[in-house]
Amino acid sequence: MQRLRPLLPLVAIGGLASLPFAFAADTTRFWQGVFIQIFILAIYALSYDLLMGYTGMISFGHALFFGAGGYTAAILLRQAEPPSMLIVIAAVIVVGATIGAAVGALSLRVSGVYFSMITLALAEIAFILFKADDPKLKPITGGEIGLQGIVVPAAIDATTYRLRFYFLTLACMVGLYYAARRLINSPTGRVFVAIRENEPRATALGYNTLHFKLLATAISSTIAALAGMLMVLYEKSASFEMLSVNLTIQALLMTIIGGIGTLIGPMLGAATIRLLDHGLKGEFMQALLPAWLRPDLVFGIVYVVLVLFFPAGLMGAIRKLRGKTSRSSVERLRQAMKPKAES
Amino acid sequence: MPNVLLKTEHLSRSFGGLQAVRDVSIAVEEGSFHSVIGPNGAGKTTFFNMISGAIKPSSGKVFFAGNEITGLPLHRMIHLGIGRAYQITSLFPSLSVAENVRLAAQARGRDTFKFWQHSDRFERYHERAQAALKLVGLRGVEQVLASALPHGDKRKLELALLLASEPRLLLLDEPTAGMAANQVPELIEIIQQLRQSGQHTIILVEHRMDVVMSISDQITVMHGGSVLAEGTPQAIAADPRVQQAYLGELYDDVLTQPHEVAHDTNS
Amino acid sequence: ACSSGTGVEPTAATNPTSDSAQATEAPPATTAPAATTESTEPTAAPTSDSAAATGKPIKIGLITDQSKALSLYGTQEINGFMLGLEYATNGTMQVAGRPIEVIVKDDENNPERARQLARELIEKDGVELLQCCASTSSALTVIEIAKENNIIAMIDPAAGPQITGSNFNRFVFRTGRNTLQDALTAGPYMVENVGKEFVQLAPDTDFGKGSAASWRSIIEANGGTFVSDDVFIPADTTDFTPYLQKLLDAADEKQAKVLMVTWAGANFPRLFQQMQEQGVLDKLTLATGFGDNVTMPMVYADAVGSVGMIAYHYTLPKNEVNDWLVEQHKAKYGSYPDLFTAGGMASGIATVRGLEATKGDTNADALIAALEGMSFEGPKGIYTFRKEDHQALQPMYMVKLISITDPDAKFFELLQERSAEQTAPPVMVTE
Amino acid sequence: MVAPASWPKLITGILLPGLTLAAIYFMISAGLSLIFGLMDVLNFAHGSLFMLGGYCAWTCNVWLDPNYAGHWPITIASGNLRFIIGLIVGTLVGAAVGSLIEISLIRPLYKRPIYQVLLTLGLVFVFDALVRTIPAWGSLSRAPIKPPMLTESLSLLGRRFPSYSLFLICLSVSLAVLIALVLRRSRIGLTIRAGVQDSAMVEAMGINVRRVFTGVFGFGSGLAALGGAVAASFIGVYPEMGLEYQLFAFIVVVIGGLGSYSGAAAGALLIGLARTFSDHLVLETGLPTAIASASTVLVMAVVLLLKPGGIFNKN
Amino acid sequence: MTPILEVEQLQTFIGQYHILHDVSLQAEQGSITAILGRNGAGKTTTLKSIMGLTPPQAGSIRFAGQRLNSLRTFSIAQLGIGYVPEHRAIFRDLTVTEHLILAERKRGDLRRRGDLIFSLFPDLQRLERLLGSQLSGGQQQMLAIARALVPETQLLLIDEPSEGLAPVIIEQMMRAITALSEHTTVVLVEQNFRMASAISQAYYMLDDGRTVDHGTMTALRGNPQLIQRYLGAA
Ligand SMILES: Nc1ncnc2c1ncn2[C@@H]1O[C@H](COP(=O)(O)OP(=O)(O)OP(=O)(O)O)[C@@H](O)[C@H]1O
Ligand SMILES: Nc1ncnc2c1ncn2[C@@H]1O[C@H](COP(=O)(O)OP(=O)(O)OP(=O)(O)O)[C@@H](O)[C@H]1O
Ligand SMILES: [Mg+2]
Ligand SMILES: [Mg+2]
């Protein structure tokens, strides 16, 4: 079992790559679509976990980053002569990083809940601005209607080439996951964790924590922006909903359900939420549950129970199943202490 | 002629109406072992905080290796070579012991922003961390989470964090606090070693007189924020003002026989 | 003009149980038994889809709000649509030998969810036609999916003008009226009979701005004037006082006589209450659109005697279809058809008529050819899908509020029926 | 910047409606400030309790009405009495539910503050779905019902001002003063502040921390529910109101400074007035109305950037 | 004379870890009893078990004849037990005065005990308005002890009181504890063997969660091997 562990990622990727061929022919397009959304949400959740789970900065305005990427792509692609995709991607990265760094810079002045609230305020302001029916803004933002009917380069059009788009998002997800993994295992990533654990101490060790927080928000924001861009490419529309508190809450939910600070957990969380949503509201569950037991209520209760009894989320539960708790740190400590106490 | 590594000039700090540190000027020679003692609330920690950049002085200056460092931000201090241990243990609780120390070692290097490389590839930090752990006698618990260590070991880890950044000047604020009696000699051993290696200059704040008296080259006594006396351990021990303000009667014997413990003083 | 597309969010005061029961009791998806009528020749439509010949069911996806703020309208739409199918197929629930199967999905008044559901219906459930929705925002996302998949989307009651205007695509057909038609109904009447000095209030949303512009252009074209700037109120307002004072100023200083109100959202009763409390209704004659039977009694308690337009009320049209609707609705659901039941029914009828013309072929090109310019008999009389923007032109009504307590919901007296031609809005398609 | 408006208009058009808003904001924020500031529990479900209070009061108003078509054995003819009963029932139900939540759900999480946020966030979904599930309540918005004694409008400087708004303002101010007096004179504040940092130590000093916490949580929840019950006759009730006012409450508390009770009052006042002022500004200058909607968060952003710990922060 | 505190065969788990295996001790009314043992021996856990902070799984704790095992911490404290925890547990955001007020169990406690407290730690009077976080290390320790002296108690559990205190203060404190023991029984955990031995009459030696030895302090002082064995250097 232990020997097979390094193979696990390969198996997972292989599984996801062959998934589209596993569905019945008449519904495969639909399921491909669902998984495309899952992959995009997974990228988004991943970005949130980098910030909350690893750097310990709880942003209530994460949708701002997602929406920034989405709108950047949408606005560029709606030009009369849309720039090449590479330029769009570059623009999304630049915008994402800039906004992220700007938000990170706020942490110079506020921290803790205050940071959360000010990010909430910023996202909310963006939400209101993009939704506003203002003659100056509307031509750019589309107002309430958003930017519909975006023309995506034919080669990656999800309508015509759904499968191709599936692999594209899968590749993006896997790529960004490994990039994130790399980051948190890098010297920089370790400092992120140090900041989460004890920021004053990290400063005292000689780290300029502001730089790291800037970097963390910029990277997280960039990844979220890329997710937003993918969403726009898939949906061919950008709307102010992308900037809403709901979307931030989604990120939070996916992260918690999956397991904070595990990267893979929030991605699983994204899949869980999307599939649960489909399942709970699908015909099957509706036939099973009494009519008064609304899917939302079931979801709420399941979620509360999860937070209460499985605080480490799905990943925690999985680890528990694999019997990892017996090797918990305290046990390791006690074992380590034993010979010393006798000597 | 030994050169002065750390110098303060008329360093003062007040909190509201309270003058916590008043006009303190000291000079610490490179490679020496300098202790600061004084009653509780004398301003020792505040003085430390100003040298290490944790708080800014109200007035006065701090010089390190000839350069003025007054008011530099905390994170710059480590890079200059000033490291301090805290009176209240401050660690990264849910990181392993090894990771705690590795972070400290890495802080002084130039590789922190190489975010595309795995941290394990930087062997030198790992080695430095191991060396620091060995020095403080914390081997075999590398994978334990810092929060799970017994209090005494946390103090050791605190010290290891400090050593891993290879500071020229070490500021130790009550390193033995919370340690078991049997560990104190061990710690003193470590501090002695550091001192003998000649690479470090050490400033120590400590209330255990046996330790202070046996190890220091020079002692500064603070009282009410100002310097009450300064000199060699013998001179300090003999100073009646110090006895009255700080030592009391309990340690009469210590002053004459630093390593022995008197048993029946009070009964 | 409150009774427009995204509409007043229905509100109830005195009878909390009856309406919510309505809101939650969506009829189950209906599947008619397989038919045994003689099979028709395959159509000449370009596809080789032989479904028409095989009698394969026609699946229709109906997306609307069943659980959130617009669930009252969603329910009306669903009930109406099912009755429309039943009526148009003479109760067989099949057309050209193909049984009709309706799959109802709840978009929770959320456009993103509507989009997902539209995809799910098409890609997973294999629906060939879409019907939607209570909210304009949801309709706007669904028509994009319809276009992406070459599928016809029938729209009712969403009333935003952009559906058949700036965001129009050729797969969209709207049986519901849009806000311009509302304005064309009431505008001329108001100027003639109530007063010429107008001031108006609308929510600061796309819908509100669009509606206000419609009213302004039509009223001005008919000789009325707006004596003050339009007052747009953010939809999230709690205390309307600053805005209402603006209206009072217009009455005091600029001699405004008539107040046009467009509103949508949960806070309509609050707005109305505050208008009363602060004396706005004493100084200005309210000209508004009337709403559904559930909301009317509580909001308009003090407005008996006022006049306004309404898109549909069961007492108004005099024709066979409506008689059938009233009777069947009463029998099936124990109540009278309401504001948007008729629209839902019209959609159902239009769908069947179109499919009859294509002989059961759901191919978009064939259906577009059949529906464009098509007239059909619905509960309000004759509806015609205009070629240019696929908006159904239809009769509209000016009424006077005479009661809000009538047990049979006989609230209105008809003042004037405005014909489909009189209320034909300008074509706003931008492409 | 603003077109010159006469004083009476400024008072009736900005000040009074601003105070009305502030009154509602204060009632929901006061409890949150106590709970959030003193116990360090970021209760996302506070708005849900506000909503619960609102629905309970609304139900009393409707069900106890002799004209109510449903079947209900007890009826009360006086609308004023129904209103008062509604306030009492709403408050009590809110306090009871709040205490229950604390005992059963929050208590296990005092050591994991982030999880309190996450859990109470889940409660928002539960309450939202619950309200929609209960047949008598449902998803639809319900119109405000005012007691007969407070339906009249008063003439004020040439404009009419609803007496209910005045009632809201007076009630809020009296509550503010009352609570301030209670807090100042009791040891409870001290106990809670200490208990948050180290509840074990406070227990070791002979104080039943759990009961104090439950009490405070119940009290704060009751306040929110009272706010909801009073507000219900002004804004009506609808399932979304919980989250909507929750957000305002957070903003108020953060602007005022965590745990500062007077901060909550100041914050409520600030954002109430900011809203009506920007309403006025928008009307007079033709600036985008979005500014009025955004005023609340804008004010928060500005305050936090100028005073990172809120207006009344001690540090 | 019957012991006021009797602890028998205490077994305590923290989480799933068995920390105390078999701890028994008794404290005579009006005496000072020292609990000794090396780092990690379980001294702190013993005090916490008595206070109900880490409730024991087995064994019995009796205080003035009453069983404490199933009581909650605050009830135990209300019986008249004061506790000075290891590492101070000062509240960062409360002022010195607020700490003392909070420690009152009956109205007027602080008035009654104020003189004693301030004569013991005169510094505290000067610092009344400072927050916990603004105190120096030693001042925090003084406050932690002072806090336990506010109410009238029959038993004081004190965990390492000398930590971080200047020698003069330790001396003063030792005298105070000795004086206090006239009305109150004291159980003391102390690493500073000099101090412990100077003021206590009896000792209990813990090792790896077990009581391994006990007796009078005088006897222990005469037994350097024992000290060497369990405490290392004495
Ligand atoms: N932030 C602050 N605000 C107000 N007073 C302070 C603050 N920090 C320290 N003080 C006061 O300054 C004086 C010096 O404190 P400091 O911590 O330097 O003492 P110390 O010598 O380290 O004492 P100890 O040996 O007890 O640790 C004390 O009286 C303390 O109360
Ligand atoms: N929360 C905990 N989880 C696991 N083990 C613990 C925990 N707390 C204490 N321990 C372990 O219990 C044992 C006894 O701890 P305790 O604190 O009682 O020792 P002590 O004698 O007071 O030591 P010290 O002299 O360091 O204060 C130690 O081995 C310690 O590591
Ligand atoms: Mg100190
Ligand atoms: Mg201990």
Side-chain angles (χ1 to χ4, degrees), chain A residues 35-67:
Chain A
F35 274 88
I36 287 171
Q37 286 174 334
I38 289 177
F39 297 156
I40 295 172
L41 288 177
I43 296 172
Y44 176 56
L46 179 83
S47 75
Y48 196 70
D49 196 31
L50 269 183
L51 206 55
M52 169 163 129
Y54 287 91
T55 322
M57 300 168 81
I58 303 183
S59 146
F60 284 170
H62 208 64
L64 177 62
F65 306 147
F66 187 78

Side-chain angles (χ1 to χ4, degrees), chain C residues 1-194:
Chain C
C2 75
S3 56
S4 310
T6 42
V8 183
E9 298 201 5
T11 321
T14 46
N15 190 342
T17 37
S18 67
D19 58 304
S20 51
Q22 255 186 19
T24 45
E25 261 172 41
T30 317
T31 316
T36 48
T37 45
E38 72 243 82
S39 57
T40 44
E41 290 292 316
T43 55
T47 49
S48 55
D49 191 326
S50 55
T54 59
K56 190 180 124 193
I58 299 175
K59 290 188 186 171
I60 301 176
L62 197 170
I63 301 169
T64 197
D65 181 8
Q66 284 178 280
S67 62
K68 296 283 155 79
L70 300 182
S71 53
L72 192 64
Y73 297 166
T75 311
Q76 292 170 11
E77 178 191 355
I78 296 167
N79 294 352
F81 188 73
M82 300 312 294
L83 285 170
L85 294 178
E86 193 181 329
Y87 174 83
T89 58
N90 289 321
T92 65
M93 289 305 256
Q94 44 180 284
V95 59
R98 298 182 62 184
I100 300 172
E101 193 180 308
V102 181
I103 303 172
V104 183
K105 296 272 180 191
D106 177 10
D107 76 356
E108 297 168 30
N109 199 18
N110 172 348
E112 292 307 315
R113 186 157 185 86
R115 183 207 307 277
Q116 265 178 26
L117 290 173
R119 285 226 173 88
E120 180 178 338
L121 283 166
I122 295 168
E123 293 168 4
K124 181 159 157 262
D125 301 314
V127 307
E128 297 165 62
L129 295 168
L130 287 171
Q131 159 73 29
C132 97
C133 2
S135 100
T136 298
S137 331
S138 286
L140 285 170
T141 62
V142 169
I143 63 178
E144 290 296 324
I145 302 296
K147 180 176 162 195
E148 191 182 302
N149 290 279
N150 291 343
I151 276 185
I152 300 296
M154 199 70 81
I155 309 295
D156 194 299
Q162 59 277 59
I163 296 173
T164 45
S166 52
N167 285 57
F168 173 76
N169 68 57
R170 65 193 191 97
F171 301 94
V172 176
F173 286 85
R174 168 150 63 184
T175 53
R177 92 291 178 241
N178 67 40
T179 49
L180 274 160
Q181 281 160 295
D182 290 349
L184 282 161
T185 308
Y189 183 93
M190 293 291 175
V191 176
E192 221 167 276
N193 300 297
V194 185

Side-chain angles (χ1 to χ4, degrees), chain A residues 164-189:
Chain A
R164 194 182 286 178
F165 199 81
Y166 177 94
F167 284 112
L168 179 77
T169 45
L170 176 60
C172 286
M173 179 183 79
V174 173
L176 286 170
Y177 167 73
Y178 276 103
R181 252 280 100 90
R182 263 230 110 92
L183 170 68
I184 55 150
N185 283 327
S186 76
T188 322

Side-chain angles (χ1 to χ4, degrees), chain C residues 20 67 204 243 249 277 282, chain D residues 139 146 153 159-160 279 289:
Chain C
S20 51
S67 62
D204 181 45
Y243 299 93
D249 288 348
E277 285 170 350
D282 300 342
Chain D
S139 284
K146 288 181 180 160
S153 295
R159 292 287 197 222
R160 282 165 62 182
D279 281 334
T289 19

Side-chain angles (χ1 to χ4, degrees), chain A residues 330 333-334 337, chain B residues 147-152 178-180 183, chain E residues 14-15 17-20 37-46 48 86-87 159-160 189 191 206 208-209:
Chain A
V330 187
L333 161 73
R334 294 190 64 78
M337 295 296 291
Chain B
S147 59
L149 286 180
H151 189 68
M179 285 202 150
Q183 285 184 330
Chain E
I14 298 181
Y17 305 105
H18 203 158
I19 308 286
L20 298 187
R38 70 174 77 215
N39 203 218
K43 308 181 293 294
T44 298
T45 311
T46 303
K48 284 187 169 177
E86 195 179 33
H87 316 316
D159 202 346
E160 310 211 6
V189 168
Q191 297 280 11
L206 300 196
D208 196 18

Side-chain angles (χ1 to χ4, degrees), chain D residues 14-133:
Chain D
I14 299 181
L15 187 64
L16 285 176
L19 287 177
T20 311
L21 288 182
I24 299 180
Y25 295 156
F26 175 75
M27 277 187 275
I28 183 168
S29 314
L32 189 73
S33 161
L34 286 177
I35 296 174
F36 184 18
L38 299 182
M39 299 168 59
D40 251 4
V41 176
L42 193 56
N43 181 15
F44 256 86
H46 197 72
S48 302
L49 293 159
F50 175 81
M51 170 177 72
L52 195 65
Y55 269 98
C56 288
W58 178 85
T59 311
C60 287
N61 274 318
V62 172
W63 283 18
L64 298 179
D65 190 334
N67 298 327
Y68 171 58
H71 313 284
W72 192 247
I74 315 159
T75 59
I76 290 165
S78 156
N80 294 332
L81 198 57
R82 285 201 300 273
F83 172 75
I84 292 167
I85 290 177
L87 296 193
I88 295 170
V89 170
T91 311
L92 291 182
V93 170
V97 172
S99 309
L100 261 174
I101 291 178
E102 198 276 341
I103 292 171
S104 58
L105 300 174
I106 311 276
R107 191 172 282 174
L109 299 179
Y110 278 118
K111 294 221 166 61
R112 297 185 274 153
I114 292 186
Y115 286 87
Q116 292 164 355
V117 178
L118 306 175
L119 182 113
T120 50
L121 184 65
L123 287 183
V124 175
F125 302 133
V126 173
F127 274 105
D128 181 276
L130 218 53
V131 165
R132 294 173 198 272
T133 302

Side-chain angles (χ1 to χ4, degrees), chain A residues 12-144:
Chain A
I13 296 171
L16 287 175
S18 43
L19 202 59
F21 309 102
F23 297 117
D26 56 340
T27 57
T28 182
R29 251 178 88 76
F30 168 71
W31 285 111
Q32 285 167 30
V34 169
F35 274 88
I36 287 171
Q37 286 174 334
I38 289 177
F39 297 156
I40 295 172
L41 288 177
I43 296 172
Y44 176 56
L46 179 83
S47 75
Y48 196 70
D49 196 31
L50 269 183
L51 206 55
M52 169 163 129
Y54 287 91
T55 322
M57 300 168 81
I58 303 183
S59 146
F60 284 170
H62 208 64
L64 177 62
F65 306 147
F66 187 78
Y71 269 99
T72 305
I75 290 168
L76 288 177
L77 288 171
R78 273 170 56 101
Q79 303 292 312
E81 277 173 40
S84 85
M85 223 26 232
L86 280 180
I87 292 179
V88 174
I89 293 173
V92 166
I93 290 176
V94 169
V95 170
T98 313
I99 293 183
V103 166
L106 290 175
S107 65
L108 183 65
R109 289 197 62 76
V110 290
S111 56
V113 197
Y114 294 102
F115 175 76
S116 303
M117 292 308 283
I118 205 159
T119 50
L120 174 77
L122 290 180
E124 201 57 20
I125 290 169
F127 175 81
I128 292 170
L129 282 183
F130 275 73
K131 188 182 174 185
D133 187 74
D134 182 75
K136 284 189 212 74
L137 293 175
K138 212 175 163 190
I140 307 166
T141 63
E144 272 180 278

Side-chain angles (χ1 to χ4, degrees), chain B residues 15 18 20 40-46 87 207, chain E residues 130 134 136-139:
Chain B
F15 296 106
L18 178 84
N40 297 115
K44 306 180 294 292
T45 302
T46 310
Q87 192 172 11
H207 287 298
Chain E
L130 288 193
Q134 295 172 334
S136 83
Q139 290 164 346

